[in-house]
Amino acid sequence: MSILIYAESAEGKFKKVAFELASYAKKIAESLGTTVTALTINAGDTSELGKYGVDKVLKVTNDKLNNFNAKAYADAIKQAAEKESAKVIVLSSTTDSLYLAPLVSVNLNAGYASNVVALPVSTSPFQVKRNAFSNKAFNITQIDTDVKVLAIGKNSYGLVEASGAAAAEDFAPSISDADFGVQTQSVEKGSGKVTIADADVVVSGGRGLKGPENWGMIEELAAVLGAATACSKPVSDLGWRPHSEHVGQTGKPVATNLYIAVGISGAIQHIAGVNSSKVKVAINSDPEAPFFKVADYGVVGDAFQIVPALIEKLKAFKAQNS
């Protein structure tokens, strides 16, 4: 028996979430007295997985799987789980895995818990803590099925290095043409040095910036912080920024260490999608903006004065401490 994770990758490189899943699964494996196996699909060097607790890697190399296909990927995970006699399958809460998890649970007749934010409260019975009601509350969910599928909330556990190395093994799951009823015609990728999915810090802008011509200061602040840039729904709807940068309940959910909202009033859908971030900072000229009610730090004032001043202070701090 083994704990199985699906280690997501992009263009041959593992996403940060893959190492977080490995760290999480390693801790469960220790409590159950078992090992961690990672399934990779068209990934490159897998040795780094061993640094975070993976004991074995099942490497799938198949050109048909170059583009994400939920049904085909779910079939591959099912076959890997059966091969390893895995009773616990750990997935992420990325967009891809949100499609995958229900299919995997159906394939394995497994109970499924989404938005898991901590290690199991108990392994007998198997109980996990989850976010509920758009991150406004927690609940404890008990899974009684023999096989269990967990989807871990982003940035809810962190990275924990472990000593050891992962043994790699080629794995060729049976993939049929029936798996490709839905096919990818094209892929549009967002540009930027740091992706929202992998970012520890996100700088987000709203309609308070008044127009796309003022977005330079958001990008400059993000560059100083090594952050990803994002935006509210109205900004993407107006065409100021690409939809790939839209964050919130109706866009990409964000659970970063630091989320800075510039000129975003804080519609309930936006707040629900970013509320899992550990520290939230709001910069807005309206002292009654709803975002201030959930922000850890709030700055009332003109963003066109505050953000440039903040950038200069950060640059000076970095210069003194580099």
Side-chain angles (χ1 to χ4, degrees):
M1 188 184 85
S2 180
I3 308 293
L4 178 70
I5 71 168
Y6 164 50
E8 290 190 44
S9 59
E11 298 179 350
K13 295 182 179 180
F14 289 112
K15 299 179 180 179
K16 176 187 171 184
V17 70
F19 305 127
E20 185 170 16
L21 293 192
S23 302
Y24 182 92
K26 179 64 174 179
K27 199 66 178 178
I28 299 180
E30 289 175 349
S31 66
L32 296 177
T34 186
T35 58
V36 178
T37 298
L39 175 71
T40 68
I41 297 178
N42 292 342
D45 182 11
T46 61
S47 60
E48 195 170 3
L49 290 171
K51 298 178 183 178
Y52 296 94
V54 172
D55 300 288
K56 179 180 179 181
V57 180
L58 297 180
K59 298 180 63 174
V60 176
T61 304
N62 188 330
D63 289 341
K64 289 184 177 180
L65 302 177
N66 282 336
N67 290 320
F68 175 75
N69 179 291
K71 193 171 188 305
Y73 277 43
D75 281 350
I77 293 171
K78 170 183 181 289
Q79 292 173 51
E82 291 175 339
K83 179 182 185 301
E84 296 298 305
S85 300
K87 300 300 182 183
V88 179
I89 293 90
V90 183
L91 304 174
S92 71
S93 291
T94 64
T95 302
D96 286 354
S97 284
L98 289 175
Y99 283 104
L100 273 177
L103 294 173
V104 172
S105 61
V106 168
N107 285 347
L108 294 170
N109 196 28
Y112 165 44
S114 61
N115 300 318
V116 176
V117 295
L119 289 168
V121 176
S122 165
T123 55
S124 184
F126 201 95
Q127 298 177 328
V128 291
K129 181 179 180 181
R130 304 170 57 235
N131 270 330
F133 303 114
S134 298
N135 303 322
K136 295 183 181 68
F138 299 107
N139 69 30
I140 303 299
T141 297
Q142 181 168 312
I143 308 176
D144 294 324
T145 52
D146 183 43
V147 180
K148 301 152 183 72
V149 175
L150 309 180
I152 311 304
K154 181 180 178 294
N155 209 28
S156 60
Y157 187 72
L159 306 184
V160 181
E161 292 195 17
S163 58
E169 174 185 320
D170 290 333
F171 177 56
S174 176
I175 305 297
S176 69
D177 290 340
D179 287 325
F180 296 92
V182 176
Q183 297 185 357
T184 300
Q185 297 298 319
S186 64
V187 177
E188 181 180 335
K189 296 183 179 180
S191 59
K193 294 181 180 179
V194 183
T195 65
I196 294 171
D198 293 329
D200 288 323
V201 181
V202 170
V203 179
S204 190
R207 278 185 295 185
L209 290 173
K210 301 180 180 178
E213 67 276 4
N214 296 318
W215 212 260
M217 68 179 187
I218 296 293
E219 294 175 329
E220 188 176 1
L221 178 57
V224 172
L225 293 171
T229 59
C231 67
S232 61
K233 185 176 187 297
V235 167
S236 63
D237 286 347
L238 288 166
W240 295 1
R241 300 300 296 171
H243 286 284
S244 59
E245 291 189 7
H246 167 207
V247 297
Q249 193 174 36
T250 56
K252 292 181 178 178
V254 172
T256 58
N257 289 325
L258 174 61
Y259 181 79
I260 302 176
V262 182
I264 297 176
S265 61
I268 188 170
Q269 294 88 351
H270 185 87
I271 291 174
V274 304
N275 209 32
S276 291
S277 295
K278 293 180 179 177
V279 177
K280 296 177 285 295
V281 177
I283 301 173
N284 202 295
S285 60
D286 179 8
E288 300 300 321
F291 212 120
F292 284 126
K293 295 179 181 179
V294 299
D296 298 283
Y297 300 94
V299 183
V300 179
D302 185 350
F304 294 100
Q305 296 178 2
I306 293 167
V307 174
L310 177 59
I311 290 170
E312 293 307 312
K313 288 288 186 182
L314 288 169
K315 286 181 176 179
F317 177 81
K318 291 180 71 174
Q320 292 172 2
N321 294 274
S322 59

